[in-house]
Amino acid sequence: MAVIRPAGRFDAFRALSERHGRASEALIEDLAGVRESTVDGPEGWAPAVAAGLGLPAAAGLGPAAYYADLAAPHGRRHVRVCSATACFAAQAGHHLTEVERELGVTTGTVSPDGETSLQAVRCLGYCYAGPAALDGTTPCTGPALAAQLAGREPPSAPRIPVADDTGDPVLLAGVVAGEPAWQVWPGVVTAGGPDRVRRDVAASGLRGRGGAGFRVAAKWEAAGRAPGTVVVANGDEGDPGSYADRLLMEDDPRRVLEGLALACFACGARRAVVLVRSEYPRALERMREAVGDAYDDGHLGPAVHGTDTALDVEVVEGAGSYVAGEETALIASLEGDRGCARPRPPYPTARGLWDAPTVVNNVETLAAVPWIVARGGEAYARRGTPEETGTKLVCLSERFARPGVYEVELGTSLRRLVTRLGGGLKDGSEPAAVQVGGPLGGFLGPGALDVPLTTAGLSARGAALGHAGLVAVDRHMAPRDVLRHVWEFAAAESCGACSPCRVGSRRGLELAGAGTGPGDEWRRLAHVLTEASLCAFGKRIPPAVHSLARVYGERLAGWEP
């Protein structure tokens, strides 16, 4: 994980991690540096990196073999091709074969001369323009993806299309309306006080936008303003089909940081971490620039705007893991460990990063806080529905006629999102299925879209809100191919921390590849996954598969609940 620190201002994170006897963030940063300079497997270099930090070999081999960025072979030119749902649906997965043919490299290998390596990843955040790839840090997208990577056409990566459907954007205030950030923080930190922030957020009813939907004020309260509290901005937006956090970090990073500062103020935290996934190199660059500017402008530092409030922020790069977006796995990754989910209790708000009380809020959640504090919690609570207040960023995939990010009120009908905002599918065709809320969210058929965009409404239909990414699957896709894709994702991204998910996801993939409905065997497997998995990843696999079976009916017989 690459880390940026304001020089001479703050090194408490390393001291804390060393004090607790944990591998510091320097381990993964150093592992990543060596990975870029060798084509050898981790077993050949990871132990030496660990030894250089005074750590045992296992401390280096563990994360080096776990994180995709470290475990994957790297040539001098490293190409990451997206194989996630939106890119898969764009060309039925054929783009990966075309890229392999053009570059003369098989996925997961390095060319014989060590020049080029090819890695399949999930996802790159270009779901609106897929299929997509990163050639180093240069994005390439669209039907001519292979030709761009081969050099016959210039790289093409259109900006994210955005639109507001609310009339008064909260999250897109800067992107669409040009509203500058850092308008709230100076007044609050000098005169408003943390109680004001806590009251406004509590009155707003704001829930976390990372998928779990936990009340933000309750999470802040659980940390209890304890000494040493840390706030983590979770920018590890891994749900294929979602790219709202990338939009915010790239186009309005100062608003994200202002929300983070307000959250730290409310929680009594003097330090914070921003975790940005490695698949978002531009977002990482923009967040680093924004942190540097915030120090220069007095928004961060040992005496914020001349007050006794101190706040230091670090930006950390992820190393490639879907499950590491789950808050306990994210904390493990920040500590230099494998990004595996941890059992709870203890909850992170009691004992989290380096055993300090830790509040984890995702990027979209934090971006809403400045509006709430500026306009008042009651004004936000009037948006959306009484049970689920506010607005949400919804991402529409490449198959839609008008893909992009839309800010909508919670409670908006999915049919409006698909037909009015998204314009239906390209070429006027109907979707065979719409995936809602990520790879393990759920699928709905075209006749089941009269459902509100709320956690409760979608759960009642066997789907999930998640990050609110909508991926359309057209009728050219074979149902068995879609099913197998779901299981491939589950098997590849399971962190392996618990046997039910580690073994069950691979067994599910075997059953999906067999071509016959598994019936009772699948029902037994689904029960084990649901009841015994350590975290939501394994628990969500059966509902996602069941929802797909409901959409396709007899064509996926044997996979029903």
Side-chain angles (χ1 to χ4, degrees), residues 14 97 153 177 183 198 210 218 239 248 289 297 318 334 356 379 431 477:
R14 183 184 297 274
T97 303
E153 293 192 18
Q183 300 302 298
R198 290 195 294 270
D239 274 358
L248 292 171
E289 291 174 353
D297 294 338
L334 288 172
M477 297 284 292

Side-chain angles (χ1 to χ4, degrees), residues 101-486:
R101 184 172 59 249
E102 286 282 4
L103 299 184
V105 183
T106 303
T107 304
T109 68
V110 181
S111 60
D113 59 3
E115 185 64 32
T116 304
S117 55
L118 186 62
Q119 177 188 1
V121 298
R122 310 164 184 84
C123 127
L124 295 174
Y126 288 88
C127 317
Y128 58 95
L134 280 177
D135 188 353
T137 59
T138 301
C140 302
T141 66
L145 176 66
Q148 293 174 41
L149 292 171
R152 295 199 309 275
E153 293 192 18
S156 172
R159 293 180 62 84
I160 299 173
V162 294
D164 170 58
D165 190 49
T166 70
D168 184 12
V170 173
L171 299 156
L172 295 181
V175 178
V176 173
E179 185 177 301
W182 295 116
Q183 300 302 298
V184 178
W185 173 240
V188 168
V189 75
T190 56
D195 286 342
R196 173 190 168 187
V197 180
R198 290 195 294 270
R199 283 196 305 269
D200 280 332
V201 171
S204 73
L206 177 67
R207 294 178 179 269
R209 300 305 190 214
F214 196 76
R215 285 189 177 273
V216 173
K219 180 178 281 192
W220 291 0
E221 183 67 25
R225 294 182 59 80
T229 296
V230 180
V231 178
V232 177
N234 186 352
D236 196 2
E237 176 187 47
D239 274 358
S242 300
Y243 45 95
D245 287 356
R246 179 169 85 81
L247 170 73
L248 292 171
M249 290 188 288
E250 289 185 2
D251 287 7
D252 205 359
R254 290 171 176 79
R255 190 171 311 278
V256 175
L257 281 180
E258 184 176 19
L260 175 60
L262 291 164
C264 288
F265 195 49
C267 295
R270 298 167 67 89
R271 49 188 176 270
V273 180
V274 182
L275 188 283
V276 183
R277 60 198 306 257
S278 65
E279 295 87 348
Y280 288 177
R282 175 60 177 160
L284 181 68
E285 178 186 0
R286 293 283 289 142
M287 290 304 301
R288 287 175 167 172
E289 291 174 353
V291 168
D293 291 344
Y295 274 100
D296 292 341
D297 294 338
H299 300 311
L300 304 176
V304 175
H305 291 300
T307 69
D308 59 0
T309 296
L311 179 56
D312 284 292
V313 176
E314 295 196 60
V315 179
V316 178
E317 181 179 6
S321 168
Y322 175 79
V323 172
E326 190 271 339
E327 64 177 12
T328 64
L330 180 147
I331 288 168
S333 70
L334 288 172
E335 292 173 339
D337 292 341
R338 294 162 66 95
C340 298
R342 294 171 173 175
R344 292 177 286 186
Y347 291 93
T349 50
R351 194 164 80 227
L353 186 60
W354 303 307
D355 288 338
T358 303
V359 172
V360 181
N361 290 139
N362 94 308
V363 162
E364 184 179 335
T365 307
L366 293 169
V369 175
W371 192 99
I372 291 170
V373 177
R375 307 285 189 92
E378 292 79 7
Y380 188 84
R382 290 191 289 271
R383 317 287 295 269
T385 73
E387 297 77 19
E388 298 184 41
T389 62
T391 68
K392 184 79 185 72
L393 295 183
V394 176
C395 302
L396 302 186
S397 72
E398 176 271 346
R399 289 287 86 194
F400 288 97
R402 292 191 292 272
V405 173
Y406 296 85
E407 183 167 358
V408 302
E409 302 262 348
L410 280 167
T412 300
S413 165
L414 252 65
R415 189 168 300 281
R416 174 178 173 79
L417 296 175
V418 170
T419 60
R420 294 288 300 277
L421 300 184
L425 265 61
K426 291 180 176 178
D427 303 322
S429 61
E430 280 196 10
V434 176
Q435 186 185 62
V436 185
L440 303 180
F443 291 86
L444 296 173
L449 299 178
D450 293 311
V451 54
L453 186 78
T454 60
T455 299
L458 290 167
S459 296
R461 299 293 184 91
L465 179 61
H467 278 85
L470 270 62
V471 178
V473 178
D474 61 33
R475 298 186 183 278
H476 295 98
M477 297 284 292
R480 291 279 171 183
D481 289 343
V482 181
L483 174 68
R484 189 161 48 250
H485 175 78
V486 171

Side-chain angles (χ1 to χ4, degrees), residues 440-441 462 486-487 522-531 533 536-550 559-561:
L440 303 180
V486 171
W487 279 112
W522 157 236
R523 282 184 276 276
R524 287 192 295 270
L525 177 58
H527 177 75
V528 172
L529 283 165
T530 302
E531 299 299 326
S533 293
F537 183 88
K539 296 177 186 294
R540 281 298 311 171
I541 297 173
V545 173
H546 289 157
S547 69
L548 186 65
R550 281 193 295 270
W559 292 92
E560 304 92 337

